[in-house]
Amino acid sequence: LISPLLDPVVASKVQFASKPDALLKFIDPQELLESRGGLDKYAYEYVKPQAEENKLMFDTEGRRAVSTALDKVREQFVQATREWTDAKEGGDDDAFARASRERKELSDKYRLAAREKDKYTRARHFYTRTGVLADDKVDWSKVQRHKE
């Protein structure tokens, strides 16, 4: 159904499987879902959105405040980077070390400020609801649990 629509070069690189057993030529049975003829017992579960999970997206004052804070830290980071490069080019090892520490601290502050702004600008989704994405951590095991 699809292969006639593809460019011949592309079609030569794509493998189509019409039956679940044909997938086993390309995918390890341990990695293929049981529903597709494999041995993986994982079952997807939809997690419904909560009524208030995106309320911060409508808080314009809060968004403005976190945006301003992020802009301020970004400006500080740019200035610290100028001082860092000047110190390196000038051969001032002490100033370079100080500027390096300051850039690291500002980089951490920027990351935290950006994470805070994220709450006001990006809708929550499946991965936040299931805990895969929490703060600065990514834990794929939250959705890769196998059902026995």
Side-chain angles (χ1 to χ4, degrees):
L1 183 68
I2 295 174
S3 58
L5 302 174
L6 298 175
D7 177 88
V9 174
V10 173
S12 71
K13 297 176 183 180
V14 177
Q15 298 291 325
F16 293 95
S18 59
K19 297 181 182 175
D21 290 349
L23 291 172
L24 296 173
K25 289 183 356 186
F26 309 104
I27 302 174
D28 185 314
Q30 298 295 327
E31 301 297 323
L32 189 60
L33 295 175
E34 276 186 334
S35 61
R36 300 291 181 251
L39 301 173
D40 190 338
K41 296 184 183 301
Y42 173 77
Y44 173 79
E45 290 180 34
Y46 178 68
V47 180
K48 291 183 179 181
Q50 300 298 311
E52 298 288 312
E53 72 182 21
N54 291 314
K55 69 181 179 184
L56 290 179
M57 292 181 66
F58 303 100
D59 178 0
T60 55
E61 288 302 314
R63 182 172 52 245
R64 187 174 298 120
V66 296
S67 293
T68 300
L70 183 64
D71 290 345
K72 181 179 175 185
V73 176
R74 185 187 65 244
E75 290 168 13
Q76 292 171 338
F77 183 79
V78 168
Q79 181 57 38
T81 300
R82 286 187 185 109
E83 293 169 8
W84 179 72
T85 57
D86 289 346
K88 181 67 172 176
E89 289 173 356
D92 186 341
D93 292 340
D94 291 336
F96 180 72
R98 276 193 308 276
S100 294
R101 285 191 299 275
E102 183 179 4
R103 282 185 79 239
K104 170 68 173 117
E105 289 172 14
L106 288 169
S107 174
D108 291 342
K109 270 180 83 171
Y110 188 83
R111 180 180 45 80
L112 293 173
R115 293 283 304 151
E116 190 62 27
K117 183 178 178 181
D118 182 76
K119 297 173 187 175
Y120 291 84
T121 58
R122 188 185 315 260
R124 304 303 92 189
H125 47 73
F126 175 79
Y127 296 115
T128 52
R129 286 183 215 120
T130 56
V132 171
L133 298 178
D135 299 319
D136 287 344
K137 307 284 187 273
V138 178
D139 183 358
W140 288 108
S141 70
K142 302 286 187 179
V143 292
Q144 292 175 339
R145 288 186 293 250
H146 296 280
K147 304 240 177 186
E148 298 300 327

